[in-house]
Amino acid sequence: RCVTSGDPCICDSDCPENFVCDKGDCVPDSSGPLDCPEGMVAIADAYCMDIYEASRPDATASDMGNDDSRALSRAGVIPWHHKPIDSGALQDFDRACRAAGKRLCQPAEWQHACSGSAGSTYVFGEGFDRETCNCVDTFCDDYCEDNQIGDCALGDNCGYTYDCFQVAPTGAFPDCIDEWGVLDLNGNVWEVVPSEQDARGFEVRGGAYNCAGASERLKCSFNAGWSALFA
């Protein structure tokens, strides 16, 4: 091996776990094929990731539940979100993942799953689309139609204009999916990953259903850096 030399990488020890150095870039170590447990898919044959956002065992289609004993990956339930997201929330999520025999994703793993092999801006490509993943502006036109509003405002943050944003059950947006089959990496609820680079000890990724400026905050590269973040 060799001594870490920074960016760009020159050897495998420069890269996070499950990544190797290829022509100066850290890329997934796809030495697979990788056999993942039920409810998970292999990302570039390097590591496994839950198909759905984490949920509590007693979550339903209308409530995220109260049982925080372990985190599950299943469709059609309100995902587990924490208010505020802080170091305590990170510990709760880490414990619940380990209780399920899993772990939290590392930043590089989450980033690659979101951007994909093409390195796209969003999980769904380069151009922003407010209806592909659940964001603050997703339901504006539906609200206008339901309430017979003819001159419907559909610009940035229109969800605040009509107070029509809402969290959605896991898997409710089937087109909000990465190339390997992971759903809701962008939008719905924030994704939390531990981080040695962020002074808080974690990064907050993916955007959320109630967050302003969705075209910026749903980007795979965005890390919500404010200290008292509400999901």
Side-chain angles (χ1 to χ4, degrees):
R1 311 302 278 184
C2 59
V3 177
T4 299
S5 61
D7 184 24
C9 64
I10 61 171
C11 63
D12 293 345
S13 62
D14 293 335
C15 298
E17 183 182 1
N18 299 322
F19 284 70
V20 295
C21 191
D22 180 30
K23 299 177 182 178
D25 295 321
C26 289
V27 298
D29 182 10
S30 54
S31 57
L34 189 62
D35 186 21
C36 293
E38 184 179 358
M40 307 183 83
V41 292
I43 308 297
D45 276 327
Y47 53 95
C48 299
M49 183 176 282
D50 283 342
I51 295 172
Y52 301 101
E53 291 176 305
S55 61
R56 286 171 163 158
D58 59 344
T60 68
S62 59
D63 187 88
M64 72 171 176
N66 297 293
D67 179 0
D68 60 2
S69 61
R70 67 190 190 281
L72 302 180
S73 172
R74 57 195 178 112
V77 297
I78 298 298
W80 187 350
H81 45 292
H82 208 292
K83 300 181 181 182
I85 294 177
D86 53 20
S87 59
L90 179 70
Q91 293 172 4
D92 287 345
F93 293 144
D94 179 67
R95 175 184 46 76
C97 284
R98 293 183 184 279
K102 304 174 184 178
R103 61 170 175 81
L104 293 173
C105 293
Q106 294 298 311
E109 294 172 334
W110 190 94
Q111 177 80 36
H112 189 78
C114 185
S115 294
S117 55
S120 62
T121 301
Y122 306 98
V123 73
F124 45 80
E126 291 303 319
F128 178 69
D129 184 336
R130 63 180 176 82
E131 293 189 308
T132 300
C133 298
N134 186 21
C135 71
V136 70
D137 299 330
T138 296
F139 298 102
C140 291
D141 50 354
D142 294 332
Y143 180 90
C144 289
E145 182 178 352
D146 292 343
N147 291 275
Q148 299 180 334
I149 299 174
D151 188 16
C152 188
L154 295 177
D156 288 349
N157 304 324
C158 61
Y160 292 139
T161 300
Y162 301 119
D163 192 27
C164 61
F165 53 91
Q166 56 191 284
V167 67
T170 52
F173 287 76
D175 293 331
C176 186
I177 190 169
D178 76 354
E179 64 185 271
W180 297 283
V182 178
L183 290 149
D184 299 318
L185 282 166
N186 289 156
N188 216 27
V189 299
W190 291 107
E191 312 281 338
V192 186
V193 295
S195 174
E196 295 180 356
Q197 285 70 46
D198 194 301
R200 300 170 299 176
F202 58 89
E203 297 174 14
V204 186
R205 300 299 201 99
Y209 72 96
N210 59 354
C211 196
S215 61
E216 178 64 23
R217 290 170 177 164
L218 263 67
K219 289 181 177 178
C220 294
S221 59
F222 185 79
N223 171 25
W226 49 95
S227 58
L229 180 71
F230 285 76

